[in-house]
């Protein structure tokens, strides 16, 4: 089997230093694909399927399995289950979400008090959000009664178990005191949709873990590794352009003859 | 070359006499970077240094195999090897010799090829894997060479001619490449390229030792038989290779078999500058843990208290961590703490080294061939965990500002799917992502699929891919030549074209195999035939297969936007007009239609004998078309291919792997890549490039300072469960 030199394209611009990769020639005669550390298409296909399954993209996962002949998700329904939970949380329907989670496996929340607390806290926030969003003038104190009722029944019994819970509860309750226009960023972030996303991600991980599956898609580690490797290279004072493009933008290709790795 | 007819060639060879004669073993040569290690024979060989040149050039033309057979390159070595092998076989005394010595691989550089070993803690190391590959390729190449070129009497050789070459060869040993490759290669590689073939230490060095030291047991043991005159004097030895910093951590253990009377043993490491007539640790550029007082010495006659004393039957481990630049020792499996924290891996090459003073002192080194007493695997795993934790904290915001991690992942995946022509997945993914985002808002916007100009090409490529994945090579060839008429004719794609044609033969044999298994178990006959009808059969002579495809596509699209259907129709129209009528497809250059009529029509029962005949027929055509290719690889490929016919049930034959369905995926990717390049697009998507960049960066860092990057592998750590 032969090897070829591949000079990474964008590193070429400086002409000061090359990074030359030893890739097996494309003329892999037999199963030489397994012989390299470098990613081939089936590796990439794997990491994409891994992402689609673990982060809940059932439609894409199904099509991808068909188009690549990669073995698809064993159980598409379990992905859809997680998607339903995610959608419920994203949509602020926390009661529904908690019910769905318990349908999947009641032990998930029993064993993960912090997660359960976060869900209940988000539920309280959603109740407050609805009250705040009511049309008309500023809400009067009595409008908040359902929120206070929920807090005292569901959240306050948990607060003493951990100072973190107590603090979080206090902050959430404060939402009812400030008029929305006078809220500090610290409180505003409680009402931000990103909190829903964060809780949804945590719940997804917890469900995966409860099934004994890896809780984070590998592609997340992969791009972190790319960032880390660049940091290490710069720390080692290897000559590198200020920005090494990923090749996502059309502009990245300008200047290169084919924009691809140069094969010599 | 004076001893060339008298020196005993057998190996191991305790005396120094045979050294100059013996061709070194693969392990010894694998990358003796320093000229000091280059023995006469090695320099006298044609200077092609397999591991080093493969690594350094990254270039190994298939022709290199042929080159080995050339008299000029191989003559002298051939004679040596004949010689050696003859005698070696007779004098085989050790197990190693029996198995590996005179391995008759006819290697011009190495006497034998001891089995490559990877220490347990380096199994995940990219560097160790790379070395292993180089070794495997070297041996495979030799085996192939030996098979194609049975030994023949060597031409007479004049000593003067080899001496004439000697000096030149010697000087450019590592970076010299075979002449043939020089000619073939248009662009010389950049000169800054670093040689990264640093091999693992495998044994005590026969050369790099003080006289009076005897090497035993295939280089794993060393015994002091001489005497010392002054109290200062000692005898030291180094391993054959330096500890590669690319390993991240390097570790070895030394067992004190016998300490001798009032003995003094030092265990550690040194550079090649350190003199060997004193104990390591006392000399400049040497560091060692001494048994008599338990002190650690760092280039100085005065040490510092470090660990317990050690004596006979103790196992002393020595490790260097190139990330923290620390050295540590273990005693009988117990970690003794950091002894030294000034490792300068960019400046020095550290060799495992021991020294002793008294006659009878006897040490055994374990470089990872056998399990270690200390749990170094665990330490390595902890090190890896620590690095993974660091990676997990990496900030990705600068990779593609202003994208967050989530957005970036969506873009990377979306771009990959579009780039590769996974049209349906791309649509479904865009839809799923849209739904997910909309679920956050109260008033969801309806999903409008992105309209892309690339769609026509994407759909074309999708069809070609589907055909190959279905095993219908004729349909794939047809699509390719109608959509992209010249792609497969291009010189750079001729191997892809070749493999596509070979794949057709494989698919014919697959069908045959299916029939064989089907007829042997009647229950599966119907199913098998059905699956043939929908899948395997090339039905490209008519519109039928394609019409069905169109219908399928449309059915799938019905649930979505009307726009899709319209686009599909447009696309169909576009093709109707732009594609030449089937009969007019030029067949002069690519002989793609040649065997079409032999393929069975859809749903008709095909007797397996007929199938075999048509496969044979097609095989002959392949032979006519490609048999003239001078390249060994092509010949071998064809030979392997035709060998399938010999087996009554090819799937269970030794070459059954050729029939594997996954082969379809590989060739499909290659064709897709070739088309992309012909369309002026990069052949790799951003996500692939990201992987390659990461790997290159890790390599760069690991080669420069070893350390954390050495322990990370893109493929094993991020592209595997």
């Amino acid at each position: 089997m032969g090897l070829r030199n591949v000079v990474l394209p964008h590193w070429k611009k400086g002409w000061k230093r090359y990074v030359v990769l030893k890739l097996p020639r494309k003329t892999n005669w037999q199963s030489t694909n397994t012989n390299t550390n470098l990613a081939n298409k089936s590796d990439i296909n794997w990491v994409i399927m891994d992402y689609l399954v673990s982060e809940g993209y059932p439609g894409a996962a199904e099509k991808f399995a068909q188009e690549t002949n990669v073995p698809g998700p064993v159980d598409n329904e379990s992905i859809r289950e997680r998607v339903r939970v995610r959608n419920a949380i994203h949509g602020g329907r926390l009661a529904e979400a908690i019910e769905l989670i318990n349908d999947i496996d009641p032990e998930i929340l029993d064993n993960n008090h912090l997660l359960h607390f976060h869900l209940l806290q988000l539920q309280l926030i959603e109740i407050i959000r609805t009250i705040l969003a009511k049309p008309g003038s500023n809400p009067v104190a009595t409008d908040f009664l359902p929120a206070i009722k929920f807090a005292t029944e569901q959240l306050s019994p948990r607060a003493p178990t951990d100072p973190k819970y107590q603090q979080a509860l206090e902050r959430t309750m404060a939402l009812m005191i400030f008029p929305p226009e006078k809220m500090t960023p610290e409180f505003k972030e409680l009402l931000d949709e990103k909190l829903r996303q964060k809780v949804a991600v945590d719940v997804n991980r917890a469900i995966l873990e409860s099934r004994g599956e890896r809780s984070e898609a590998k592609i997340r580690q992969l791009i972190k590794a790319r960032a880390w490797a660049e940091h290490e290279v710069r720390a080692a004072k290897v000559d590198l352009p200020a920005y090494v493009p990923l090749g996502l933008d059309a502009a990245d290709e300008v200047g290169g003859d084919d924009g691809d790795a140069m094969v010599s | 070359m004076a001893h060339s007819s008298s020196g005993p060639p057998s190996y191991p060879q305790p005396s120094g006499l045979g050294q100059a004669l013996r061709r070194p073993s693969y392990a010894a040569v694998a990358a003796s970077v320093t000229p000091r290690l280059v023995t006469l024979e090695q320099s006298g060989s044609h200077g092609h240094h397999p591991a080093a040149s493969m690594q350094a050039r990254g270039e190994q033309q298939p022709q290199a195999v042929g080159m080995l057979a050339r008299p000029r390159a191989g003559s002298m070595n051939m004679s040596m090897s004949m010689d050696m092998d003859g005698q070696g076989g007779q004098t085989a005394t050790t197990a190693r010799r029996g198995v590996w010595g005179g391995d008759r691989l006819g290697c011009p550089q190495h006497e034998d090829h001891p089995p490559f070993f990877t220490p347990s803690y380096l199994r995940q190391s990219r560097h160790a894997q790379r070395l292993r590959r180089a070794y495997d390729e070297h041996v495979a190449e030799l085996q192939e060479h030996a098979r194609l070129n049975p030994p023949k009497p060597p031409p007479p050789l004049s000593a003067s001619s080899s001496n004439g070459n000697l000096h030149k060869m010697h000087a450019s040993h590592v970076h010299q490449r075979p002449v043939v490759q020089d000619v073939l290669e248009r662009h010389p590689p950049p000169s800054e390229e670093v040689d990264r073939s640093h091999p693992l230490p495998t044994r005590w060095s026969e050369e790099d030792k003080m006289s009076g030291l005897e090497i035993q047991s295939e280089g794993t043991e060393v015994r002091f038989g001489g005497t010392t005159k002054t109290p200062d004097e000692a005898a030291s030895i180094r391993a054959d290779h330096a500890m590669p910093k690319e390993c991240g951590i390097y570790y070895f253990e030394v067992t004190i078999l016998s300490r001798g009377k009032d003995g003094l043993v030092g265990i550690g490491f040194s550079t090649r500058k350190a003199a060997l007539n004193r104990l390591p640790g006392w000399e400049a550029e040497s560091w060692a843990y001494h048994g008599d007082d338990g002190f650690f010495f760092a280039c100085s006659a005065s040490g510092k208290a470090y660990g317990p004393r050690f004596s006979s039957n103790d196992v002393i481990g020595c490790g260097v961590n190139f990330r923290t630049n620390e050295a540590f020792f273990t005693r009988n499996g117990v970690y003794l703490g950091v002894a030294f924290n000034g490792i300068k891996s960019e400046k020095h090459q550290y060799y495992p080294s021991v020294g002793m003073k008294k006659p009878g002192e006897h040490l055994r080194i374990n470089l990872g061939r056998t399990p270690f007493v200390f749990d170094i695997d665990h330490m390595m795993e902890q090190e890896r965990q620590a690095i993974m934790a660091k990676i997990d904290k990496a900030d990705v915001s600068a990779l593609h500002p202003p994208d967050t991690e989530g957005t970036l992942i969506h873009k990377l995946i979306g771009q990959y799917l579009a780039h590769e022509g996974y049209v349906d997945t791309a649509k479904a993914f865009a839809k799923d992502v849209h739904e997910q985002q909309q679920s956050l808002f109260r008033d969801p916007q309806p999903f409008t699929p992105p309209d892309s100009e690339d769609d026509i090409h994407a759909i074309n490529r999708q069809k070609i891919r589907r055909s190959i994945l279905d095993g219908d090579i004729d349909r794939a060839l047809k699509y390719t030549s109608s959509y992209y008429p010249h792609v497969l004719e291009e010189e750079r794609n001729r191997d892809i074209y070749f493999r596509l044609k070979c794949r057709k033969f494989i698919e014919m044999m697959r069908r045959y195999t299916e029939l064989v298994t089907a007829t042997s178990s009647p229950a599966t006959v119907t199913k098998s035939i059905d699956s043939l009808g929908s899948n395997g059969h090339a039905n490209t002579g008519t519109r039928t297969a394609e019409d069905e495809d169109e219908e399928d596509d449309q059915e799938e699209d019905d649930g979505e936007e009307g726009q899709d259907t319209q686009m599909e129709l447009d696309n169909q129209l576009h093709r109707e007009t732009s594609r030449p009528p089937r009969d007019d497809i030029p067949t002069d250059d690519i002989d793609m239609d040649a065997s079409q009529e032999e393929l069975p029509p859809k749903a008709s029962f095909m007797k397996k004998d007929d199938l075999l005949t048509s496969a044979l027929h097609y095989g002959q055509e392949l032979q006519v078309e490609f048999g003239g290719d001078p390249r060994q690889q092509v010949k071998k490929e064809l030979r392997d291919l035709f060998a399938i016919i010999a087996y009554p049930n090819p799937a269970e034959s030794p070459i059954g792997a050729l029939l594997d369905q996954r082969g379809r995926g590989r060739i499909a990717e290659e064709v897709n890549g070739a088309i992309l390049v012909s369309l002026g697009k990069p052949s790799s998507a951003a996500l692939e490039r990201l992987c390659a960049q990461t790997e290159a960066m890790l390599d760069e860092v690991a080669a420069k300072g070893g350390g954390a990057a050495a322990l990370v592998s893109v493929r094993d750590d991020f592209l595997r469960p």
Side-chain angles (χ1 to χ4, degrees):
Chain A
M1 189 201 74
L3 296 163
R4 59 178 177 152
N5 287 341
V6 173
V7 181
L8 283 190
H10 305 295
W11 300 27
K12 204 183 75 179
K13 284 178 186 162
W15 284 109
K16 284 179 188 162
R17 187 182 176 90
Y18 305 86
V19 169
V20 180
L21 291 176
K22 283 82 188 179
L23 299 187
R25 285 200 174 279
K26 280 241 164 113
T27 51
N28 293 320
W29 291 93
Q30 277 149 29
S31 56
T32 45
N33 268 344
T34 53
N35 272 347
T36 170
N37 286 330
L38 266 149
N40 59 34
K41 304 262 180 197
S42 58
D43 292 326
I44 306 277
N45 287 349
W46 180 85
V47 85
I48 287 179
M49 184 60 95
D50 174 64
Y51 176 80
L52 298 178
V53 170
S54 75
E55 306 228 344
Y57 299 92
E62 200 177 320
K63 289 284 182 206
F64 197 53
Q66 287 168 9
E67 284 194 294
T68 57
N69 280 10
V70 164
V74 187
D75 181 8
N76 224 341
E77 178 50 30
S78 77
I79 306 179
R80 292 186 193 278
E81 237 168 35
R82 284 185 284 121
V83 171
R84 281 195 290 274
V85 174
R86 181 182 69 198
N87 287 348
I89 297 173
H90 280 182
R93 305 183 302 276
L94 268 297
E96 182 189 331
I98 292 172
E99 201 173 313
L100 285 167
I101 298 168
N102 283 331
D103 284 350
I104 293 169
D105 185 353
E107 288 195 358
I108 295 172
L109 295 182
D110 285 353
N111 295 341
N112 197 337
H113 293 160
L114 183 64
L115 184 67
H116 197 179
F117 181 83
H118 281 153
L119 281 166
L120 293 173
Q121 184 197 5
L122 189 59
Q123 194 170 359
L124 175 60
I125 291 170
E126 297 302 343
I127 295 171
I128 297 172
R129 194 199 308 273
T130 328
I131 298 164
L132 290 175
K134 255 184 197 154
S137 59
N138 278 346
V140 289
T142 49
D143 291 336
F144 285 112
L145 280 178
I148 294 165
K149 184 165 178 283
F150 181 83
T152 46
E153 282 174 7
Q154 299 285 337
L155 283 161
S156 55
R158 293 167 199 269
T161 59
D162 190 326
K164 267 190 296 181
Y165 292 178
Q166 204 175 335
Q167 211 185 352
L169 178 59
E170 283 163 11
R171 271 179 62 201
T172 314
M173 295 303 281
L175 288 176
M176 293 185 256
I177 302 164
F178 292 112
E181 63 274 9
K182 285 185 185 162
M183 254 179 224
T184 55
E186 182 196 2
F187 292 104
K188 270 201 173 123
E189 77 183 17
L190 288 177
L191 288 173
D192 193 341
E193 260 100 11
K194 277 187 187 135
L195 187 66
R196 290 178 179 178
Q197 277 179 310
K198 190 188 164 297
V199 173
V201 167
D202 290 346
V203 168
N204 190 52
R205 284 188 186 175
I207 299 175
L208 286 171
E209 269 166 27
S210 77
R211 291 189 177 133
E213 288 165 37
R214 216 165 358 86
S215 60
E216 190 181 64
K218 282 272 184 178
I219 198 171
R220 291 192 180 272
Q221 285 179 293
L222 175 66
I223 65 166
K224 282 180 196 159
R226 166 66 177 74
W228 177 80
E230 184 172 336
H231 174 264
E232 292 285 299
V233 168
R234 294 190 192 284
K237 302 213 163 48
V238 173
D239 195 10
L240 202 67
Y243 175 59
V244 182
L246 300 177
L248 268 178
D249 310 302
D252 292 353
E253 310 298 341
V254 175
D257 42 353
D258 60 358
D260 191 12
M262 296 285 298
V263 179
S264 57
Chain B
M1 302 312 298
H3 325 285
S4 65
S5 60
S6 60
S10 73
Y11 175 80
Q13 178 53 254
S15 86
L17 183 61
Q19 281 172 25
L21 271 176
R22 208 188 61 242
R23 277 169 306 145
S25 80
Y26 175 85
V29 187
S32 46
V33 180
T34 41
R36 256 176 91 177
L37 265 185
V38 178
T39 60
L40 274 174
E41 276 66 30
Q42 213 179 314
S43 337
S45 78
H46 51 66
H48 170 46
H49 189 305
S53 81
M54 259 194 293
Q55 295 289 339
R57 310 274 149 236
E59 188 60 50
Q60 184 74 21
Q61 302 285 353
Q63 281 81 351
V65 172
M67 187 213 57
L68 291 175
R70 298 175 134 218
R72 183 202 149 272
S75 58
M76 171 183 159
N77 308 293
M78 276 304 184
S79 77
M80 293 297 286
S81 95
M82 296 301 296
D83 219 84
M84 293 301 196
D85 291 347
Q87 293 187 37
Q90 287 159 13
T91 55
T93 48
T94 67
R96 180 176 173 184
R97 187 92 185 128
V99 177
W100 297 98
D103 50 15
R104 296 188 182 276
L105 289 175
C107 178
Q109 293 101 38
H110 314 117
E111 184 195 21
D112 62 358
H113 298 79
F116 188 90
F117 69 94
T118 306
S120 56
Y121 65 97
L122 291 178
R123 283 211 183 102
Q124 281 175 296
S125 148
R126 279 180 305 140
H127 185 62
Q129 286 165 6
R130 181 165 46 201
L131 294 174
R132 155 137 246 149
R133 270 197 311 280
Y135 172 85
D136 288 347
E137 282 161 15
H138 175 69
V139 171
E141 197 175 284
L142 289 171
Q143 279 165 348
E144 178 68 8
H145 172 69
R147 204 171 62 79
L148 297 172
N149 303 277
K152 49 179 179 278
L157 175 76
S158 82
S160 62
S161 75
S162 65
N163 276 334
N165 285 332
L166 200 68
H167 192 72
K168 190 175 67 193
M169 297 289 192
H170 186 103
S172 56
H173 174 67
V174 169
H175 287 287
Q176 172 138 11
R177 75 181 74 197
V179 175
V180 178
Q181 286 187 17
D182 264 333
V183 175
L184 284 178
E185 198 169 331
R186 282 163 300 174
H187 312 288
S191 56
E192 293 97 324
E193 200 178 317
V194 193
D195 177 40
R196 290 179 184 172
S197 54
H198 305 141
L200 300 170
T202 61
R203 49 169 290 146
W204 291 122
S205 168
E206 296 273 4
E207 295 86 14
D208 201 11
K209 70 178 176 68
M210 194 66 190
S211 64
L213 289 176
E214 273 175 38
I215 296 178
Q216 303 176 346
S217 302
E218 299 159 46
T220 58
E221 292 178 21
V222 59
R223 187 173 174 281
F224 187 46
T227 49
T228 49
K229 293 176 200 91
T230 68
D232 246 14
E233 203 174 298
S236 292
I237 186 168
R238 280 185 278 266
D240 57 350
H241 299 300
M243 306 186 262
K245 60 190 172 203
E246 291 91 335
C247 292
I249 293 179
Y250 189 83
Y251 181 78
F252 64 94
E253 283 179 354
V254 173
T255 307
I256 320 293
L257 295 173
S258 165
R259 193 177 75 128
K261 194 165 174 287
D262 303 324
L264 173 45
V265 172
I267 293 168
F269 46 90
S270 63
T271 73
R272 296 186 65 122
K273 280 190 189 149
L276 292 167
N277 60 356
R278 300 221 303 162
L279 286 181
W282 288 349
E283 280 292 305
E285 298 195 4
S286 72
W287 298 262
Y289 171 31
H290 286 196
D292 62 326
D293 50 11
F295 278 27
F296 178 77
F297 293 81
C299 321
S300 160
S302 59
K304 56 164 190 178
Y306 170 65
R309 297 169 185 193
F310 57 84
S311 179
S312 293
N313 297 322
D314 281 335
V315 179
I316 304 302
C318 172
V320 172
N321 183 331
F322 291 100
R323 178 174 73 100
T324 55
N325 294 321
E326 290 169 346
F328 61 89
F329 291 88
T330 65
R331 180 171 167 271
N332 298 328
V334 178
Y335 180 71
L336 297 178
V338 172
F340 176 66
N341 59 9
I343 297 289
K344 294 187 174 64
S345 60
E346 293 190 28
K347 198 170 152 204
H348 293 317
Q349 297 264 335
Y350 299 98
Y351 289 75
S353 178
V354 297
M356 51 203 114
K357 285 185 76 116
K358 298 288 173 186
E361 281 178 324
H362 192 175
L363 309 178
R364 180 170 59 220
I365 192 167
N366 178 11
L367 294 161
R369 219 180 266 275
T370 53
F372 290 113
V373 176
F374 173 67
D375 191 357
I376 181 70
D377 295 19
H378 180 67
M379 179 186 260
M380 202 70 169
E381 189 49 38
Q382 280 181 322
E383 183 82 2
R384 271 172 42 77
Q385 296 297 338
I387 294 162
M388 288 300 162
K390 274 193 171 176
I391 290 179
D392 210 44
K393 293 198 185 75
D395 177 16
V396 300
S397 61
L399 284 182
H400 192 250
D403 290 351
T404 59
E405 186 179 312
T407 323
L408 179 58
I409 290 175
H410 285 165
K411 281 188 184 170
L412 284 169
I413 293 182
Q415 197 259 1
Y416 178 83
L417 295 174
H419 182 271
E420 294 298 306
Y422 296 122
V423 182
D424 294 340
T425 314
K427 276 185 208 154
F429 183 62
K431 198 157 173 275
D432 281 350
V433 170
H434 175 83
E435 273 177 19
Q436 184 192 346
Q437 281 161 355
Q438 290 304 312
S439 68
L440 279 169
F441 303 109
R442 265 158 217 281
D443 316 307
Q445 302 293 311
F447 174 64
T448 32
D451 193 28
S452 168
E453 291 172 10
D454 288 338
D455 264 6
I456 289 162
H457 286 307
I459 287 166
N460 290 347
R461 289 187 286 129
Q462 184 190 27
K463 284 183 194 302
I464 294 167
R465 181 204 313 278
R466 191 71 257 165
S467 308
I468 300 176
L469 290 182
D470 287 346
D472 192 341
I473 306 301
D474 276 322
R475 200 172 64 189
L477 281 166
K478 218 155 235 320
Y479 278 138
T480 312
S481 60
S482 25
Y483 300 143
Y484 309 103
H486 301 297
V487 167
L488 290 179
E489 296 170 34
E490 284 177 40
E491 180 62 21
R492 62 178 165 187
N493 295 331
R494 115 187 123 124
D495 286 339
I496 297 178
Y497 174 62
F498 169 64
R499 262 165 295 165
L500 204 51
K501 297 285 278 189
C502 289
R503 187 70 209 178
K504 177 176 164 184
F505 182 81
I506 293 169
E507 292 301 334
M508 293 171 103
M509 291 312 294
R510 273 179 60 89
R511 253 173 277 156
Y512 170 72
T513 309
E514 272 183 55
L515 278 180
V516 169
T517 33
T519 43
S520 61
S521 57
T524 60
V525 169
T526 332
K527 190 169 171 287
S528 167
I529 303 281
D530 281 352
S531 73
L532 282 182
S534 63
N535 240 0
H537 281 209
N539 190 14
T540 46
T542 69
R543 272 298 284 170
T544 330
E546 224 168 280
D547 287 343
E548 278 175 14
D549 281 353
E550 300 297 337
E551 280 161 25
D552 284 347
D553 289 349
Q554 282 177 17
E555 272 166 24
E556 281 164 17
D557 289 334
D558 279 347
E560 295 170 15
E561 299 298 300
Q563 206 181 348
D564 279 345
T565 318
Q566 187 55 47
M567 193 187 62
E568 192 69 33
L569 285 171
D570 284 351
N571 177 42
Q572 197 171 344
L573 281 171
H574 167 82
R575 268 193 291 134
E576 295 287 359
T577 51
S578 68
R579 187 171 47 195
R582 294 202 166 260
D583 295 339
D584 294 348
I585 293 172
T587 54
D588 328 42
D589 298 326
I590 336 174
D591 189 23
M592 56 167 271
D593 281 342
S595 63
Q596 205 134 308
E597 55 282 357
E598 280 129 30
L599 286 173
K602 190 173 188 175
S604 81
F605 187 80
M606 185 78 190
K607 287 207 185 77
K608 62 182 182 173
D609 288 347
D610 295 346
L611 207 46
L612 196 57
T613 316
S614 64
L616 258 175
H617 203 90
Y618 179 67
Q620 284 163 352
E621 286 170 22
L622 275 181
Q623 182 64 39
V624 169
E625 189 173 359
F626 300 101
D629 197 306
R631 288 172 301 170
Q632 291 298 340
Q633 289 284 22
V634 172
K635 290 188 198 301
K636 181 174 177 338
E637 181 88 340
L638 282 172
R639 228 177 17 242
D640 287 355
L641 210 56
F642 300 148
I644 303 178
I645 301 186
Y647 297 93
N649 187 352
E652 283 159 25
S653 74
I655 44 176
L658 276 177
L659 298 178
D660 194 319
Q661 266 209 358
R662 276 171 294 186
R664 292 176 180 172
R666 276 203 291 278
I667 185 76
E669 300 309 343
E670 288 179 357
V671 172
N672 188 51
I675 295 171
L676 282 169
V677 171
S678 82
L679 292 172
K681 299 190 181 197
S683 75
S684 51
L687 190 52
E688 291 169 87
R689 200 179 288 183
L690 180 141
C691 292
Q693 286 173 348
T694 309
E695 188 77 24
M697 288 171 176
L698 292 174
D699 253 5
E700 192 71 8
V701 182
K704 198 157 181 198
L711 303 186
V712 183
S713 155
V714 169
R715 203 163 187 229
D716 293 340
D717 290 325
F718 309 118
L719 300 175
R720 290 280 184 280

